[in-house]
Amino acid sequence: QVHLVESGGGLVQAGGSLRLACAASGPIIDTIIVITNTMGWYRQAPGKQRELVATIARGGSTNYTGSVEGRFTISRDNTKNTVYLQMNSLKPEDTAVYYCNGGNVWGKGTPVTVSS
């Protein structure tokens, strides 16, 4: 069974930056299958539904939700079985728990709080 573990969340002032990481582990072949296919970062703010933030496809193409376009960057390091989310120019409205997803595998999330 593949597991995804997020890290890198925390408290930051508006305008600051954070880099989230999502590390995949488990049976080696299953882990490679998960991490090399489409991976995504989602977030859920208090009282709101979970929303898609960014995805990176198998070939490396990326997509972002409009509110983070130009501020967030998703990337992947296959040698480390890890997906990253670089978040710059953070805003209070980015405050949420951020989740990593690959196929039907979800991490438990890492909280991000942006103070004004």
Side-chain angles (χ1 to χ4, degrees), residues 88-107:
N88 298 328
S89 303
L90 282 161
K91 304 175 181 180
E93 51 263 44
D94 295 318
T95 295
V97 178
Y98 284 71
Y99 298 90
C100 178
N101 167 257
N104 62 353
V105 184
W106 288 87

Side-chain angles (χ1 to χ4, degrees), residues 10 14 20-22 25 27-28 33 38-39 42-43 45 51-52 67-68 71 73 89-90 92-93 97 101 103 112 116:
L20 307 183
C22 170
S25 63
I28 186 65
I33 290 172
T38 297
M39 296 289 295
Y42 291 72
R43 67 185 180 186
E51 65 170 348
L52 177 64
S67 61
V68 309
R71 300 188 296 123
T73 303
S89 303
L90 282 161
E93 51 263 44
V97 178
N101 167 257
V112 171
S116 57

Side-chain angles (χ1 to χ4, degrees), residues 23-110:
S25 63
I28 186 65
I29 294 177
D30 294 338
T31 297
I32 291 172
I33 290 172
V34 169
I35 203 70
T36 57
N37 280 288
T38 297
M39 296 289 295
W41 283 97
Y42 291 72
R43 67 185 180 186
Q44 187 166 17
K48 295 187 177 181
Q49 289 189 331
R50 190 173 298 188
E51 65 170 348
L52 177 64
V53 175
T55 60
I56 182 165
R58 183 178 181 83
S61 60
T62 58
N63 280 289
Y64 301 90
T65 190
S67 61
V68 309
E69 188 86 46
R71 300 188 296 123
F72 290 11
T73 303
I74 187 171
S75 62
R76 172 166 50 204
D77 186 340
N78 290 339
T79 66
K80 297 181 179 179
N81 292 334
T82 300
V83 175
Y84 301 97
L85 185 68
Q86 178 66 46
M87 306 187 296
N88 298 328
S89 303
L90 282 161
K91 304 175 181 180
E93 51 263 44
D94 295 318
T95 295
V97 178
Y98 284 71
Y99 298 90
C100 178
N101 167 257
N104 62 353
V105 184
W106 288 87
K108 293 184 178 181
T110 185

